[in-house]
Each structure stands twice: as C-alpha cells, then as structure tokens.
Amino acid sequence: MNTKLATLILAGAAVGGTGLNSFSYAAGYPIVDTRQESSYDNSREVAYPKSGQAFFGQDAQYKGNQPIYHDNKDGTVTDLVTRLIWQQDPGAKKTYQQAVAGASACRVGGHEDWRLPTIKELYSLILFNGVDPDQRSNNPSKLQPFIDTAYFKFQYGNAARGERIIDSQFATSTKYVSTTMRGNETLFGVNFADGRIKGYPIGPPGRRRGNAKTYYVLYVRGNNDYGKNSFKDNGNETVTDRATGLTWMKDDSGHLKAGENKDGKLNWEQALKWAEDLEYAGHSDWRLPNIKELQSIVDYSRSPDTTQSAAIDPVFSVTPIRDGQGKINYPFYWSGTTHARGYGGAAAAYVAFGRSQGWMSDFRGRYNLLDVHGAGSQRSDPKAGDPSRYPRGRGPQGDVINIYNFVRPVRGGNVSVREKGPELASPPTRRRSAASGSRGRRDRNASDRGSAGGFGRPPGGGRPAFDPGAFVNRIFTNDKNGDGKVSRDEMPDRMRQLLDLGDEDNDSAISRREAESIFRRMSQRDPARGRGSGQARPREPRGSSGRGERPERERKSRFE
C-alpha cells in the first residue's frame, strides 16, 4: 500500500469515528454499512423501537463501518473502508464483452491495472438510504439512488431511448454458474436505481437474435482480497469469517424449528424478534444481519443446478425446501434492511441462496416456474401478509413471494447500537370539512361518511362510499390514462395511503381487485361501513382458481 493511501485510510477512520479496529480486524473484507438510518414497521417509518418492543433490532439500529470516500480529483474515488479504488464515471453503457475488454484498455487516473469488479466488490458500494422507484414513472427528480452520488456519477434509465426508469444496471465479472430464464448465460449485476442484485443476460435477452443487453460499468483496482471469505468452524455450531470479523450461526432457523409451524419460516417482524431473543452457543447478542452482511457469505461458485446445493460454503447447514413445483430448492433469508419505496417501508431485502424464481408465461399463456435471477440474487419481499395472495408472484418476472422466509443470525463485527434515528417527518394535517349543513367539525352521523381516507360521495352524488361498488368507482375516477389501474402519480394525496393498505403486487398502483380487497379489510375493521341497510355484501375476491378468475397478462422477459 502506498503512503498516500495509507494516510487516507487512517484519516478516514478518525473522521468516521469507527476506530482503527474497523481496518485491522477485517483488513481483507470489511463490510461497509448500508447507511440506513430510518427505522420502519411493516409499512412506514417509525421512531426507533426500544429493546423488547416490536421491530427492535433492524438495520438502522446497528451502526457498522460507515461509508467514507475520497475524491482523488483524477476521475477516481477511494473507498477508505474497503481500500478499493473506483472509476468515478461509468460512461456509456457497454455489452458484457465490451466491459471485459475495456478493463485492460482503461487508463483513468493514469493507472493500468483496472479490472471489472466482482459482484461482492461492486455490492460494497450499495447504500440503502435509496428509494425503490415506481417503474412506471419517468420523473427521477425526487428519487434517491442506492449509491453515493456525491462521489459517483449516476443516471436513471432514459425514457427517450425506450428505457424504464430502473434501467441502470451495472455489470460485474461474476457469472452465474447455472443459467436463468430458459437457458440464458447470465452475469450478476447491481441495479443502483432500485437496490437489487439480479442475474442479467450476457447475450440478447431470451436467447433471441438481436443486440446484447448493455450495462453501466465501474472499473476497480486495489485490494485483490476483497470479497474472499475465510471461514472457521468454531466447533460450537458457529462459524467465524476471519475476513469480515462476523460470526454466524452454523444452522438456520429451520434446524432450530423456529416459527409458529416449527418449520423455520418467519415474517419480518418475527424474524427480528427471534434473532434478538436467541440464546445460542453461549451467546445472547445475536441479531438479524443487514443485507450487505448477509450477501457477504454467498458462494457464487455454487447453485442448486450445478452443485446440488445452496449458494453457500458447505461449512454451513441449509434447510432444503420444496418450491412451487415440488422440486428441491433452498430458502430466501431475511435481512434487517428495509427496501424502502416512496410511500413507505412495506418490504425488506433478502438474499436467495437457492434458485431465485419467478412465474413466467410462455407463448401459450402457460405459467412456468423459472430461475429468473440466479442463486445469490438480492430482492425483497413484503414484510407481512398472506403469500397465497400472490399465486403468480409479482413484478415483470413474477418474482415468487414467500413473506415467511428463513433466518441465519449473526453476531460480532465492528457494530454498535444506534440509540436515536433521524427526526420523523410531521404527519400531514387532516382537513376538516362541513357535512349535513354543519360548520367546522364533521357530523359523525352524516350519511355521506367516507371510508378510510375520507373519500366521501363520488362526484355528483350517488351511492355513499361505504357501498363497495361506489368505493371502487370513486377510486377509479382518478384512472386518467384508462389502463385499469390508479397509479401513485394519478392519486390525490389523501388517497395514497391506499398503497400501504393494498398494493399487493408492489407496482405503485391499485387495481380494481386490490381496491375490492382494501374495502373488505376496512369493512372487517368497521363492520358498519361494510353494509348499509338493504345493501348487498361485498363481492368475494377472485381467487387463484375457480369461477370468476381473472386471467393474468403474459409476462415478457424484461430484465430489471
């Protein structure tokens, strides 16, 4: 290490308040904190929970090695935690072959030893103070990407080129040892627009003729040991990674029969509590890992279809599961990191240690369960709910929704408890309206009382909003583009809480089926709103089978 870089690292340690231990105990592979400081419940930002309260122990409450960068003023940036030196500007998108060839030709900063980063090197840059965007939006002005834009140049997808706002995928040198979709040769990449790791095609998507998919590229140099684990079996059912300083439970929640059904499956709130309450191998300071800690133990040389194992070192034990078609697979594992969207924090990040599956339809409209993103991908699941409501997954690739995932607790590392988070935004002031000729406070007995959100009567009068049909129709007066959904952008502010209540497929829009489901839930909370005198019962939902089922649209192989 040259003198200048060593000085920068020591200075960074002092400025960051992390102490020299953060660079000494894990010199090869220190995990950079996610920079998530806001805490969440199952839907929205909340004040930091106290120990013993629900949702205590999430990512924001544990402070790790804080991201510290130095702009070298020569087109490069030094990460003072990882000791990796990065190209600052990714430039134009490249195919995978161009990205590989471009590393040896790169001369940024006067250096000749640039390389295409591995997935673990590139993932060290991800920050979870970012916001997952509405894929249908083309306005990035109020968005926050998952990378530090004070040091790295970043841009969202360009609609003028036919791109989606999330089309900002960055390539790595890590190839998937199996294939995705229907035989695609695949690389792992990081999407700094939406905060995910996914497998992307190296050639033309879907094995079709045409141009290969293109990606942004950040070349890297230095610290060739970064991302290389050094596991030690401690002989007490724990495993220490000497490269990161983290100690892991050798078994997972399945082996310990956690959960109501003793099968190891937990929703996010349950996972947090289970890890916090755990006493195991003589220790009681276990916690749910943040997403970057969890991703650090993925072994990208393994997969169910090539090594008949999970994508993890064999020193760990993994509970096998059955997928939606009855085949042996391996679990998704929860992290303590919320995957925030613009309207709240209803999802949390996980790593798929088995096939990262989705339901994709073929040209005949038949759905097939495929490995769409590869073992070792990082996606997100709703924190709570009923997974049976997602019979064909969600999103462009029909990502399988489990909600009840597995847990592998962690302890140790350069981590301290953060006692207080950022100040919460003040909730919007409710507007009081006059009703039934009264002024000021609303008449609670007025016949036009609306349901949650205060929607009242539809324009022009008509049936009151506690009629299910009127409730749905009132919402859909805002469907300005006539696509059968009401998006966040189309909703007035007072209606946006509906996204927290019932956006089941996480597409930042409410369909008629979702609106009906919201009505039923609110009716259960307040039965008086469910039926008036002489009114019919709300319609039953369209199920995943039987009469009245709405056929799902064919999913095309668009790659996030």
Side-chain angles (χ1 to χ4, degrees), residues 99 214 507:
T214 57
D507 63 351

Side-chain angles (χ1 to χ4, degrees), residues 80 114 137 147 161 184 195 204 209 354 361 367 384 464 473 497:
L80 301 181
W114 295 102
S137 171
I147 190 170
R161 295 198 296 260
N184 286 341
R209 294 182 180 180
S361 61
Y367 279 88
N473 290 339
Q497 64 185 294

Side-chain angles (χ1 to χ4, degrees), residues 85-99:
I85 302 170
W86 293 92
Q87 178 187 10
Q88 191 170 37
D89 185 352
K93 289 184 176 181
K94 302 174 178 66
T95 65
Y96 174 75
Q97 287 75 17
Q98 291 169 339

Side-chain angles (χ1 to χ4, degrees), residues 205-487:
R207 304 178 71 180
R208 299 189 297 267
R209 294 182 180 180
N211 296 326
K213 185 171 174 61
T214 57
Y215 307 93
Y216 289 115
V217 174
L218 288 175
Y219 292 121
V220 69
R221 57 184 297 270
N223 194 0
N224 291 295
D225 290 328
Y226 196 84
K228 297 178 181 178
N229 303 102
S230 178
F231 294 122
K232 177 189 176 184
D233 188 333
N234 298 315
N236 64 349
E237 300 303 315
T238 70
V239 176
T240 296
D241 186 349
R242 291 169 291 194
T244 64
L246 296 170
T247 296
W248 296 88
M249 206 170 78
K250 185 173 183 177
D251 292 332
D252 60 24
S253 56
H255 295 95
L256 271 65
K257 301 188 183 303
E260 295 176 0
N261 297 321
K262 309 298 182 184
D263 56 3
K265 298 178 181 180
L266 304 160
N267 65 26
W268 193 65
E269 180 182 353
Q270 293 167 345
L272 287 166
K273 178 175 173 53
W274 185 76
E276 286 292 325
D277 292 349
L278 186 65
E279 294 188 11
Y280 184 81
H283 298 285
S284 59
D285 58 344
W286 297 98
R287 55 187 167 84
L288 198 59
N290 74 38
I291 193 62
K292 295 175 79 170
E293 292 172 328
L294 183 59
Q295 190 265 349
S296 76
I297 59 171
V298 176
D299 185 342
Y300 286 95
S301 71
R302 297 176 178 274
S303 81
D305 293 320
T306 55
T307 58
Q308 289 72 55
S309 69
I312 195 170
D313 191 282
V315 71
F316 294 97
S317 299
V318 180
T319 300
I321 60 172
R322 296 279 179 180
D323 66 20
Q325 293 183 332
K327 294 176 62 176
I328 292 291
N329 197 14
Y330 300 95
F332 301 163
Y333 286 80
W334 277 126
S335 77
T337 305
T338 291
H339 197 211
R341 302 199 79 180
Y343 53 82
Y350 66 78
V351 171
F353 283 83
R355 300 179 194 89
S356 188
Q357 293 174 315
W359 289 97
M360 298 291 294
S361 61
D362 58 24
F363 68 97
R364 294 178 180 173
R366 298 175 301 190
Y367 279 88
N368 301 285
L369 187 60
L370 306 177
D371 187 355
V372 294
H373 296 129
S377 71
Q378 175 256 300
R379 306 191 301 196
S380 61
D381 243 3
K383 294 175 177 177
D386 181 359
S388 68
R389 293 167 63 183
Y390 305 86
R392 292 294 180 261
R394 72 175 180 189
Q397 284 86 42
D399 295 5
V400 166
I401 300 298
N402 289 334
I403 299 174
Y404 290 85
N405 294 315
F406 284 67
V407 176
R408 189 177 300 278
V410 70
R411 59 179 298 271
N414 188 43
V415 171
S416 60
V417 176
R418 185 184 278 121
E419 300 289 347
K420 186 177 180 182
E423 186 175 347
L424 295 178
S426 299
T429 303
R430 285 184 174 272
R431 291 183 297 177
R432 291 178 176 175
S433 58
S436 300
S438 65
R439 297 184 62 184
R441 188 166 183 173
R442 185 182 179 93
D443 180 359
R444 292 179 179 269
N445 297 315
S447 62
D448 68 341
R449 180 183 63 173
S451 52
F455 303 144
R457 288 182 181 269
R463 294 181 296 172
F466 52 72
D467 180 316
F471 177 84
V472 173
N473 290 339
R474 177 70 182 93
I475 294 172
F476 272 80
T477 60
N478 298 285
D479 183 13
K480 298 180 178 64
N481 61 7
D483 65 349
K485 290 189 174 185
V486 181
S487 70

Side-chain angles (χ1 to χ4, degrees), residues 34-56:
T34 66
R35 200 181 274 173
Q36 184 162 106
E37 296 184 3
S38 296
S39 61
Y40 299 86
D41 60 13
N42 279 338
S43 61
R44 55 181 57 83
E45 186 178 352
V46 296
Y48 273 28
K50 304 295 185 183
S51 179
Q53 293 181 339
F55 302 103
F56 177 79

